[in-house]
Amino acid sequence: MERLYWVRHRCLQLISTDRRRGWYSPPSSLPPKSSLDAQDPLVQRLSGKRRVVVSRCGPHQAEFHNFSKGFQDNSIRTTKYTLISFIPMNLFQQFHRAANLYFLFLVLLNWVPVVEAFQKEITMIPLAVVLTVIAFKDAMEDYRRYRYDKKINNTLTHVYSGKQKRYVERRWAAVSVGDLIRLCCNEIIPADMVLLHSSDPNGVCHIETANLDGETNLKQRQVVRDLPQQGSEFVPENYSSRIECENPNNDLRRFRGFMEHPGKLRVGLHSENLLLRSCTVRNTETVIGIVVYAGHETKAMQNNSGPRYKRSKLECRLNMDVLWCVVLLLLMCLTAAVGHGFWLSGLHNPIFMIPDDTHPALAAFYMFWTMIIVLQVLIPISLYVSIEIVKLGQIYFIQNDLDLYNPVLDTGVQCRALNITEDLGQIQFLFSDKTGTLTENRMLFRCCTVAGTEYPHHENGISLEQYEEQGCGDADHSLTLRSRTSRKSLSCKSLSCNRSSVSLNTLTAESDTHSVHDTLRRHTPGAFSSTMECAVVPDPQLQAKLNTLSLPMCSPLRQEAAEISHILDFFLALTVCNTVVVSSPTQPRHVVQMPMVRTPLRSLEEMKAMFQKLSLPRFPSSPNQNTDTLPNLTKKLFSQGRSASYFPNSSPQTPITTLQSPTIPSGTPSNTPPTPVTPALSSGAWSKNMDDIQKAKDNSAESESDDEDEAEELLYEAESPDEAALVQAAKAYGCTLLGRSPEQVLVAVPGTGPLSISLLHVLPFHSARKRMSVVVRHPLTGEVVIYTKGADNVIMELAEAADDGFSREIMERTQRHLDQYARDGLRTLCVAKKVLEEQEYKAWLKRHEYAETSIENREELLLESAERLETNLTLLGATGIVDRLQEEVPETIEALQEAGIKVWVLTGDKQETAINIAFACKLLRSTDHILMANCDSKETCEARLQELQHEIRQVTKEGTSEDDSSDSVLVIDGRTLDYALQKELQGSFLDLTCCCRSVICCRSTPLQKSQVVRLVRDKLKVMTLAIGDGANDVSMIQMADVGIGISGQEGMQAVMSSDFAISRFKFLRKLILVHGHWCYTRLANMILYFFYKNVMYVNLLFWYQFFCGFSGNTMTNSWVLIFFNLLFTSVPPIIYGVLDKDVSSEMLLEVPDLYKYGQNSQAYLPSTFWLNILDAFYQSLVCFFIPYFAYAGSDIGVFSFGSPINGSALLIILMHQLIESRTVTWIHAALLLFSALFYYAFVLLFNIACVTCNSPTNPYGIETKMMSEPLYYLVCGFTTVLALLPRILFRAFCNAICPSDLVRAQKMERLSAQDYSMSLRQWKEDSKTVLQTHPSEPQCEC
């Protein structure tokens, strides 16, 4: 019945379809994640064109009808066909393939009477079968898309109705641009809409974008600024603003536009104001938005690219050999045509021919086209279909390999590109990211330097080492917030939403496509770290200095005060300069209401004086003192229905409150001193007495009593793991991030307690700037302060050395500490600040607001604005973060290098850090000769490249080292790489890299990564593979021949842009060395076998032409001729291409040298192709002439003569495959037997039942008569043996005299366990000896 509904739907659709919505053709790839770095032209822009959006039910209803005419509705259609268009459109697409056009030409040619060779219907059969099979597959896929579209379009949402004056349920397909939509918690967003209202008092909405980009951490979106109804209940009729924005495009990270309020006030619109289709609302009761893009204009649909299609290297070789087959066909047809012309010229009025006035030359011309039809099977039409089936089988076995399954993430390998599996077996260069690819990307705070003083955190290092030795890292992964069965986010369990969590996966549960979202999991302690890893043991020296903020009044030296100020600003920067979302285990990720703004203090001395005036203890005198712990305080702030300022007497005139926080939250080491108790500061605080403070404490005691036993740890969910690590480190020192809103950040600071910090601007991280900044109003001084953190080389360049020498000394000492951290393999990050004068800030703000409201070139203007602000910074300090290697990374890299793959590491880290990691993962050995390239100009770079090449030659000639040039490793920084990638120096750079065993590119940008991959791929003509885990690796992954994404800690952008996706780097070893080798050898041998059997059988028809006057006649009936290659011999090669194993997986992993067989394309060389063609010619000669001489002088007919020829040909072709197969299972044997039985059953039934099927001839009784004679079986048996004997002898001779590595491996597998171990050890020793004496040849001259 479902199918009938589908037909009815298509009919209705044809009647009412909108012509502007044709069948959907998605874009070719994902958008770039950085427009400045990638500069990908795929971002669809309509420059100079904008759209205006107004509300359907507001005061602009007349304008709405004018504006909305060109907008699409929200219905989607991902199907390619309709019921009527399916046949013509599918045929049109299939005839884009040259082979189909060729056979269509033959069908039409056979309808010409003068060149007709067979019955017209018979010639159509091969083409009809192929087209039908592919059409059926396409129809099933389109039907699945139709069911998906129907489910999505019929999903209900709440849309405001102007007539009914309320929100009504409406199908997604009925939503249009300008509609006001109300969504509740856990509902999926039906269209791209600008956020107008949120139930959150701060105008914040949280969304989960897992259905869109695979990222599971929540994103904050905020209501448009300065809306007239902001802060009150939203009334749709009162909304009268206009939106002007850019036309639809596929850039998920960008949204340009502005909203014009009734007073002509324009407010810039950003991606933070846009709720994207397919995302899910989380942790927010209600949101209201206006639709700006609907249907196929939404960014989600613009990015719905589907599976990736590339052309493999083997397919390019196949196409070339098909052309050679065409040349061979033309030569054979030309020979037959010339022979026919000469034969006719030599005849003089023969009695057996009807007189014809056709000239022999014209007859020869006609015969040329007749022979094209007769010998058509020389071009393997079924080969392309067979290749598609084989690749699907190969993908099935790859995705179901348990060795590549990760039980922690519950995911295996994802094959997103369906037609390049064989390329995995031919990789020559591998380009890898470092962070998150080779390492865990689970950042752990290790040490820091502040104000030029290093704090090594020895106890913290010891605890981390003990934690690693206990092996707790992997076990922690088992904690998740996402249930596999329910697919619900447990983070919303305490939110008062009575709706179940529905995801896009639930709506498409019937789809059999492996979704990347099935692999997403979260850790309960936070986004990236476990509870044990989050615990940072403070350094005693740094803790003591920070505690001076809470000590009794003293007069510190000026330098001490400056150092303490640096320390306080350092931890404030770590706490504030991020986008971390705060939550608790039982409360959702939520934004809190902030206390009243406080009167700023101008110095640390005033802060201490304030403590003295109030006569309040800075620490509780005993543990039993009635206080609020930070977890209890946070729980009060997070609790819904309560204000964050939960104390009485907090009116604007008298907002005095008291917040006490004497202890550090759970999860912090016990030896950390408690946080001091301080009063919250506000205007009018000095006029209040201690009775008000005590009253506030008494009123809070009741609400506090319920929570005394439920002290909860704060959870931090960050977009990057280093942010989470730094916030946890600041928390260990008492600088605790308590909450965040778009305007303010709530922070607990030692000596002051909770502070509300005004957040003026956030300048997010950008790969071009390599830093992020926040502009705040300092809570103690009232000054406008910029806190910046970023790459150390960038921050050090922007830092300004003061004249007093203090800052200069700090920078010099900090640089020494950074170098040491890098040598220790730590990731380094610098922290700086800048104090702005009010006038300077106002001048910058004016230009920044212009950039925010610009539609054209907004990203460039914002980047320029940020760079204008981030100058003359004051360096505060730096951090060292440890990022552990993933398990089995050294073994994997070592195996890949033994397989002949050159491994390059492209990273944004410092040189010292990259070198240290390279040693740890065995990319570098202690005996390697490291070549450093750090240049400041193009001329210096050119000279350095020449110098390094000369250095390699000198080391090789002098023999001063046991190592040769292949053991040199080049380390180059980003600036030098810029020069080396210029056209003039590309040749020198490539010459140098070819002399090196590996290359490490440091401080490289995403654009540089893709440029390096493209340079090596195009100039050296090698097969490249790129692997990464983050958005900065997308351009590199897409540029390589094979792109692999790792589903790691930085979202799923790399996975969604890749051809294959894995969860750990170690899986790359088996994926390449085993599955890559198998896929290549299977497919290469199957293609060669197809060419062989087609040429062998066609030549039988060609040899017959010498005995029939080149007349185009055949010795077999046309049905058997057509079905021979199409049915009788087509199934066994498919199974051969899916299941054959030349060597076991264990042997391929033990001996990576075997991978070079596919790397050098030894299975499918031009010589191999022509040897197979020659063998096919020989076998066809034997198969034709032995029956010819055996039946010479007899009176058998033409079809009787063809019967033993066909039988012998079938046995030869099937036995040939048996010889070539390395694995023979019962499946292989059963299919070979079935093919033989199927042939004989068909010809016997055909001879009995179909007497007139091959008019004018009569095949009745021919096969039964021939099979009843012993000579038939003698001829078939002798012909088969003689035809295959040369191949068997040649194979035996080669395997005995000069066996290949594959043959050696096959022999070893048959040995006993003890002999196997000894042979394997001897093999590895021989390989090392050969490598030392005869290193692998580079791709270019050194």
Side-chain angles (χ1 to χ4, degrees):
M1 292 301 294
E2 183 83 28
R3 313 254 170 168
L4 296 177
Y5 286 126
W6 181 51
V7 172
R8 189 188 66 170
H9 171 82
R10 282 288 177 263
C11 295
L12 293 176
Q13 189 180 46
L14 289 171
I15 298 174
S16 61
T17 186
D18 190 346
R19 289 192 172 272
R20 68 174 182 268
R21 226 178 51 240
W23 64 275
Y24 177 57
S25 179
S28 60
S29 67
L30 291 174
K33 301 299 182 271
S34 172
S35 59
L36 287 179
D37 285 335
Q39 296 182 356
D40 197 323
L42 292 173
V43 177
Q44 303 167 0
R45 300 181 181 179
L46 299 175
S47 65
K49 296 183 179 180
R50 308 175 183 177
R51 67 165 45 187
V52 177
V53 178
V54 295
S55 173
R56 175 192 291 267
C57 57
H60 302 291
Q61 294 187 21
E63 295 179 73
F64 169 80
H65 294 292
N66 294 330
F67 291 140
S68 62
K69 290 181 179 178
F71 298 154
Q72 292 191 9
D73 59 26
N74 200 43
S75 62
I76 63 169
R77 202 187 91 199
T78 59
T79 56
K80 291 183 179 181
Y81 315 105
T82 63
L83 189 62
I84 293 179
S85 68
F86 173 75
I87 293 178
M89 189 171 291
N90 186 264
L91 290 176
F92 176 76
Q93 291 180 350
Q94 290 199 56
F95 282 122
H96 276 73
R97 181 171 288 172
N100 291 342
L101 285 176
Y102 165 75
F103 278 91
L104 177 62
F105 168 72
L106 294 182
V107 169
L108 298 177
L109 189 64
N110 195 58
W111 283 71
V112 179
V114 293
V115 298
E116 180 181 356
F118 307 126
Q119 298 178 43
K120 299 177 177 59
E121 300 82 3
I122 297 178
T123 315
M124 299 172 59
I125 291 176
L127 182 62
V129 169
V130 172
L131 295 179
T132 302
V133 170
I134 297 179
F136 179 77
K137 176 181 70 72
D138 292 343
M140 290 298 97
E141 290 180 355
D142 209 55
Y143 177 67
R144 190 178 66 236
R145 295 190 197 102
Y146 154 75
R147 296 176 60 186
Y148 167 84
D149 294 344
K150 181 180 178 181
K151 192 171 293 266
I152 293 296
N153 288 330
N154 290 334
T155 306
L156 298 179
T157 189
H158 290 86
V159 181
Y160 188 79
S161 171
K163 294 181 180 180
Q164 303 182 35
K165 304 298 182 184
R166 64 184 180 88
Y167 290 95
V168 297
E169 284 192 343
R170 190 176 297 173
R171 296 168 54 247
W172 277 23
V175 173
S176 60
V177 175
D179 281 339
L180 295 175
I181 296 179
R182 184 183 68 188
L183 300 171
C184 298
C185 180
N186 296 331
E187 288 189 344
I188 301 176
I189 301 169
D192 292 353
M193 41 192 262
V194 172
L195 183 60
L196 301 179
H197 175 75
S198 172
S199 59
D200 185 274
N202 294 297
V204 170
C205 166
H206 290 86
I207 63 172
E208 183 183 82
T209 60
N211 291 326
L212 190 60
D213 59 12
E215 297 186 12
T216 57
N217 55 302
L218 298 190
K219 311 292 194 308
Q220 284 191 1
R221 297 294 182 261
Q222 58 189 63
V223 174
V224 181
R225 292 186 292 110
D226 301 328
L227 273 176
Q229 303 184 57
Q230 192 166 336
S232 60
E233 184 177 353
F234 185 84
V235 181
E237 286 83 358
N238 295 339
Y239 172 74
S240 56
S241 300
R242 297 159 50 101
I243 294 175
E244 187 170 341
C245 60
E246 60 185 349
N247 272 307
N249 59 72
N250 62 353
D251 193 342
L252 296 173
R253 308 287 172 175
R254 189 193 74 192
F255 178 61
R256 299 171 177 171
F258 61 84
M259 180 178 288
E260 186 177 273
H261 298 312
K264 301 299 180 181
L265 174 65
R266 289 187 175 184
V267 178
L269 298 178
H270 307 270
S271 57
E272 291 78 12
N273 306 123
L274 188 66
L275 303 182
L276 297 178
R277 179 190 173 108
S278 301
C279 298
T280 307
V281 177
R282 301 289 191 197
N283 307 136
T284 310
E285 292 283 358
T286 307
V287 297
I288 297 174
I290 182 172
V291 176
V292 291
Y293 305 129
H296 289 284
E297 293 181 340
T298 59
K299 294 181 181 293
M301 295 305 299
Q302 295 271 322
N303 281 279
N304 187 11
S305 58
R308 297 170 52 79
Y309 291 94
K310 291 183 178 180
R311 175 174 292 182
S312 67
K313 182 179 179 180
L314 193 62
E315 185 178 348
C316 296
R317 180 66 204 173
L318 165 65
N319 293 335
M320 180 60 65
D321 289 338
V322 169
L323 293 179
W324 281 117
C325 287
V326 172
V327 172
L328 185 61
L329 174 65
L330 294 177
L331 289 176
M332 296 171 68
C333 294
L334 184 62
T335 302
V338 172
H340 184 66
F342 280 110
W343 184 74
L344 288 179
S345 300
L347 295 177
H348 300 285
N349 299 320
I351 61 174
F352 54 85
M353 289 186 63
I354 300 175
D356 191 358
D357 297 333
T358 305
H359 191 274
L362 182 60
F365 175 76
Y366 291 155
M367 185 52 59
F368 176 84
W369 296 109
T370 301
M371 291 303 297
I372 289 284
I373 300 173
V374 172
L375 305 180
Q376 60 177 291
V377 291
L378 183 63
I379 308 301
I381 185 174
S382 59
L383 175 59
Y384 293 97
V385 180
S386 301
I387 288 176
E388 290 186 9
I389 297 173
V390 167
K391 288 183 177 181
L392 289 176
Q394 292 175 348
I395 288 172
Y396 173 81
F397 285 108
I398 291 176
Q399 294 188 153
N400 288 275
D401 189 343
L402 292 180
D403 291 337
L404 304 181
Y405 171 74
N406 188 340
V408 176
L409 297 178
D410 187 25
T411 181
V413 178
Q414 300 175 32
C415 299
R416 299 174 54 79
L418 304 180
N419 57 339
I420 59 171
T421 53
E422 67 273 20
D423 281 349
L424 289 172
Q426 299 178 277
I427 302 301
Q428 295 165 285
F429 277 74
L430 186 147
F431 301 90
S432 173
D433 179 40
K434 183 186 76 67
T435 304
T437 304
L438 303 178
T439 62
E440 292 278 3
N441 201 16
R442 300 174 68 190
M443 309 300 183
L444 310 175
F445 179 84
R446 177 61 183 83
C447 53
C448 66
T449 172
V450 186
T453 303
E454 183 185 10
Y455 302 99
H457 291 71
H458 292 303
E459 295 183 6
N460 187 51
I462 294 173
S463 66
L464 291 180
E465 291 177 1
Q466 293 175 348
Y467 175 68
E468 291 182 21
E469 291 174 358
Q470 294 172 359
C472 298
D474 294 335
D476 174 69
H477 283 288
S478 60
L479 298 173
T480 66
L481 279 184
R482 184 177 291 274
S483 168
R484 181 184 177 191
T485 55
S486 66
R487 298 177 186 257
K488 293 184 181 182
S489 174
L490 302 185
S491 61
C492 285
K493 64 182 181 181
S494 62
L495 199 58
S496 57
C497 297
N498 296 324
R499 298 175 180 268
S500 61
S501 176
V502 181
S503 70
L504 213 57
N505 294 327
T506 307
L507 295 177
T508 61
E510 298 178 10
S511 175
D512 56 359
T513 304
H514 192 126
S515 173
V516 296
H517 315 307
D518 297 340
T519 68
L520 306 177
R521 299 289 184 270
R522 288 188 227 148
H523 307 106
T524 48
F528 298 100
S529 301
S530 68
T531 305
M532 179 68 77
E533 292 170 346
C534 291
V536 177
V537 181
D539 185 87
Q541 183 183 1
L542 181 58
Q543 183 73 59
K545 291 181 180 179
L546 199 60
N547 287 342
T548 57
L549 294 175
S550 304
L551 293 177
M553 194 65 179
C554 60
S555 299
L557 298 176
R558 179 180 179 183
Q559 189 164 349
E560 285 184 3
E563 184 180 15
I564 294 174
S565 177
H566 270 72
I567 293 173
L568 182 59
D569 279 322
F570 175 80
F571 284 110
L572 273 178
L574 296 186
T575 308
V576 175
C577 190
N578 53 65
T579 56
V580 172
V581 178
V582 187
S583 66
S584 65
T586 60
Q587 294 292 335
R589 287 170 286 251
H590 205 71
V591 182
V592 301
Q593 295 182 3
M594 300 300 171
M596 301 298 297
V597 180
R598 303 160 183 176
T599 302
L601 301 176
R602 288 184 294 277
S603 67
L604 293 172
E605 287 76 8
E606 288 193 12
M607 185 173 68
K608 290 190 175 184
M610 177 271 295
F611 290 154
Q612 203 71 356
K613 286 184 180 180
L614 290 178
S615 302
L616 288 176
R618 282 160 293 280
F619 286 89
S621 57
S622 68
N624 298 326
Q625 186 172 350
N626 183 20
T627 57
D628 272 347
T629 64
L630 281 182
N632 285 337
L633 170 64
T634 305
K635 188 165 185 177
K636 291 181 174 63
L637 296 176
F638 283 141
S639 299
Q640 297 194 13
R642 307 181 192 176
S643 171
S645 302
Y646 55 91
F647 304 100
N649 302 326
S650 57
S651 62
Q653 294 77 16
T654 59
I656 180 67
T657 60
T658 301
L659 303 179
Q660 298 177 346
S661 50
T663 61
I664 295 298
S666 60
T668 309
S670 58
N671 59 350
T672 306
T675 306
V677 180
T678 59
L681 307 177
S682 61
S683 58
W686 311 108
S687 62
K688 293 296 178 181
N689 53 32
M690 297 303 298
D691 293 337
D692 294 327
I693 299 175
Q694 185 62 39
K695 182 178 179 181
K697 291 166 62 177
D698 294 340
N699 289 335
S700 64
E702 181 179 355
S703 61
E704 187 180 323
S705 61
D706 298 334
D707 306 326
E708 288 178 353
D709 298 330
E710 301 179 10
E712 293 179 348
E713 177 188 4
L714 296 178
L715 302 184
Y716 298 129
E717 185 164 355
E719 293 186 8
S720 63
D722 54 350
E723 280 193 348
L726 295 179
V727 172
Q728 291 286 354
K731 177 184 172 185
Y733 285 94
C735 292
T736 306
L737 178 63
L738 300 177
R740 177 185 301 275
S741 77
E743 292 83 18
Q744 289 180 310
V745 178
L746 186 63
V747 179
V749 179
T752 64
L755 292 177
S756 178
I757 301 177
S758 298
L759 187 61
L760 303 179
H761 302 279
V762 176
L763 307 178
F765 176 85
H766 195 284
S767 56
R769 290 166 42 236
K770 295 185 178 179
R771 58 189 178 273
M772 79 162 292
S773 300
V774 293
V775 184
V776 301
R777 191 167 294 279
H778 200 284
L780 302 179
T781 64
E783 298 172 320
V784 177
V785 180
I786 306 165
Y787 287 117
T788 303
K789 69 175 183 183
D792 50 10
N793 61 328
V794 175
I795 300 298
M796 297 296 276
E797 290 178 0
L798 296 175
E800 178 189 25
D803 296 335
D804 58 4
F806 179 64
S807 297
R808 187 181 300 107
E809 183 181 358
I810 289 178
M811 292 180 64
E812 292 175 355
R813 285 189 282 176
T814 302
Q815 186 61 57
R816 290 196 296 270
H817 299 154
L818 286 170
D819 295 340
Q820 182 59 45
Y821 292 167
R823 285 190 290 271
D824 294 338
L826 302 180
R827 289 174 55 88
T828 55
L829 208 65
C830 278
V831 181
K833 79 165 188 176
K834 177 182 179 181
V835 178
L836 283 178
E837 298 293 336
E838 288 293 336
Q839 293 300 324
E840 183 182 3
Y841 169 67
K842 291 180 180 178
W844 173 84
L845 180 60
K846 185 176 181 181
R847 299 183 64 179
H848 187 71
E849 288 178 342
Y850 169 77
E852 285 184 329
T853 55
S854 299
I855 295 181
E856 303 297 331
N857 303 320
R858 173 183 289 183
E859 285 74 21
E860 291 79 1
L861 292 174
L862 289 175
L863 181 62
E864 179 186 351
S865 176
E867 291 177 339
R868 188 167 58 249
L869 191 65
E870 298 164 333
T871 57
N872 300 327
L873 302 177
T874 300
L875 183 65
L876 297 175
T879 60
I881 297 177
V882 62
D883 187 10
R884 297 192 304 256
L885 276 180
Q886 293 184 20
E887 70 277 9
E888 299 183 29
V889 167
E891 294 81 0
T892 301
I893 290 181
E894 188 176 24
L896 294 176
Q897 288 182 329
E898 290 179 10
I901 300 175
K902 287 195 172 184
V903 181
W904 290 25
V905 174
L906 312 178
T907 178
D909 284 339
K910 288 171 64 69
Q911 276 191 353
E912 294 82 358
T913 304
I915 291 174
N916 185 284
I917 294 297
F919 274 113
C921 65
K922 294 186 179 181
L923 184 65
L924 279 174
R925 298 190 293 254
S926 58
T927 57
D928 285 338
H929 183 57
I930 301 179
L931 309 174
M932 306 291 293
N934 301 315
C935 306
D936 296 326
S937 66
K938 181 178 178 181
E939 293 75 17
T940 308
C941 177
E942 184 177 9
R944 181 58 177 164
L945 293 178
Q946 298 295 334
E947 179 184 348
L948 292 177
Q949 290 188 52
H950 178 72
E951 182 179 342
I952 291 178
R953 285 192 290 266
Q954 286 297 113
V955 171
T956 306
K957 289 179 181 179
E958 296 174 3
T960 56
S961 172
E962 295 181 358
D963 305 311
D964 47 55
S965 61
S966 65
D967 287 327
S968 298
V969 177
L970 175 64
V971 180
I972 184 171
D973 68 350
R975 182 177 299 177
T976 310
L977 189 60
D978 261 337
Y979 302 132
L981 291 175
Q982 294 182 14
K983 189 174 182 179
E984 298 81 4
L985 299 183
Q986 287 181 359
S988 300
F989 175 64
L990 285 178
D991 291 343
L992 177 60
T993 58
C994 288
C995 299
C996 299
R997 183 170 54 84
S998 182
V999 177
I1000 301 174
C1001 300
C1002 311
R1003 297 296 191 191
S1004 53
T1005 64
L1007 180 59
Q1008 287 177 330
K1009 292 182 179 182
S1010 63
Q1011 288 175 339
V1012 168
V1013 174
R1014 179 170 55 188
L1015 177 65
V1016 173
R1017 184 197 65 188
D1018 295 343
K1019 297 296 184 182
L1020 299 184
K1021 306 299 180 182
V1022 293
M1023 185 67 67
T1024 58
L1025 181 147
I1027 180 171
D1029 73 313
N1032 59 331
D1033 303 316
V1034 168
S1035 56
M1036 173 180 71
I1037 289 173
Q1038 293 181 335
M1039 187 63 65
D1041 295 298
V1042 179
I1044 296 185
I1046 291 185
S1047 50
Q1049 304 283 0
E1050 293 191 9
M1052 302 292 285
Q1053 298 98 320
V1055 168
M1056 300 179 73
S1057 303
S1058 65
D1059 304 312
F1060 300 89
I1062 57 179
S1063 58
R1064 309 292 285 178
F1065 185 83
K1066 66 178 181 180
F1067 295 148
L1068 194 63
R1069 182 181 180 185
K1070 186 173 185 182
L1071 180 64
I1072 292 180
L1073 300 185
V1074 177
H1075 288 289
H1077 173 83
W1078 282 347
C1079 291
Y1080 167 74
T1081 54
R1082 290 167 175 171
L1083 206 58
N1085 291 332
M1086 190 199 76
I1087 292 173
L1088 290 173
Y1089 179 77
F1090 258 94
F1091 281 124
Y1092 149 77
K1093 73 183 185 72
N1094 282 27
V1095 172
M1096 187 267 184
Y1097 190 74
V1098 163
N1099 272 289
L1100 298 176
L1101 307 178
F1102 180 70
W1103 303 135
Y1104 182 69
Q1105 301 307 309
F1106 288 90
F1107 300 92
C1108 68
F1110 299 97
S1111 59
N1113 291 324
T1114 61
M1115 68 288 188
T1116 182
N1117 69 74
S1118 52
W1119 289 91
V1120 174
L1121 177 66
I1122 294 297
F1123 287 158
F1124 192 89
N1125 279 305
L1126 189 65
L1127 296 179
F1128 303 146
T1129 60
S1130 60
V1131 177
I1134 295 177
I1135 302 302
Y1136 174 53
V1138 175
L1139 298 179
D1140 191 55
K1141 293 182 182 180
D1142 54 352
V1143 186
S1144 67
S1145 60
E1146 293 79 8
M1147 177 61 72
L1148 290 170
L1149 293 175
E1150 290 282 356
V1151 187
D1153 283 339
L1154 298 175
Y1155 183 78
K1156 296 177 182 178
Y1157 179 78
Q1159 192 180 58
N1160 300 326
S1161 301
Q1162 293 179 4
Y1164 195 171
L1165 295 170
S1167 58
T1168 312
F1169 170 77
W1170 288 112
L1171 283 175
N1172 272 272
I1173 298 299
L1174 291 177
D1175 191 27
F1177 268 87
Y1178 164 76
Q1179 293 184 12
S1180 66
L1181 285 170
V1182 173
C1183 187
F1184 179 84
F1185 283 101
I1186 287 183
Y1188 175 80
F1189 289 115
Y1191 289 97
S1194 66
D1195 59 350
I1196 62 172
V1198 174
F1199 285 177
S1200 297
F1201 170 65
S1203 177
I1205 293 178
N1206 284 331
S1208 300
L1210 179 71
L1211 293 177
I1212 292 171
I1213 290 174
L1214 294 181
M1215 294 303 295
H1216 180 100
Q1217 180 179 336
L1218 194 61
I1219 294 172
E1220 292 298 311
S1221 298
R1222 305 298 186 273
T1223 304
V1224 179
T1225 64
W1226 67 269
I1227 300 177
H1228 293 79
L1231 282 174
L1232 292 173
L1233 183 62
F1234 172 77
S1235 296
L1237 295 177
F1238 181 42
Y1239 165 76
Y1240 281 107
F1242 176 84
V1243 295
L1244 288 174
L1245 291 176
F1246 182 85
N1247 278 257
I1248 295 174
C1250 197
V1251 178
T1252 60
C1253 292
N1254 201 40
S1255 179
T1257 60
N1258 183 2
Y1260 182 79
I1262 293 177
E1263 292 293 338
T1264 55
K1265 181 178 182 300
M1266 294 301 298
M1267 290 182 189
S1268 64
E1269 299 176 358
L1271 182 61
Y1272 175 87
Y1273 300 100
L1274 182 62
V1275 168
C1276 290
F1278 182 69
T1279 302
T1280 303
V1281 172
L1282 190 60
L1284 297 176
L1285 190 60
R1287 173 169 289 268
I1288 297 174
L1289 293 177
F1290 178 78
R1291 183 66 57 82
F1293 177 80
C1294 292
N1295 294 347
I1297 303 302
C1298 51
S1300 64
D1301 288 342
L1302 286 177
V1303 174
R1304 291 175 57 196
Q1306 292 164 6
K1307 292 180 179 179
M1308 284 176 55
E1309 290 181 331
R1310 293 191 287 267
L1311 298 176
S1312 62
Q1314 183 177 1
D1315 294 339
Y1316 174 81
S1317 301
M1318 293 178 59
S1319 300
L1320 184 61
R1321 185 163 53 251
Q1322 184 63 36
W1323 186 323
K1324 292 185 177 181
E1325 292 176 357
D1326 295 342
S1327 299
K1328 290 181 180 178
T1329 304
V1330 171
L1331 187 61
Q1332 290 176 359
T1333 56
H1334 303 285
S1336 58
E1337 293 294 330
Q1339 298 292 334
C1340 50
E1341 294 296 330
C1342 294

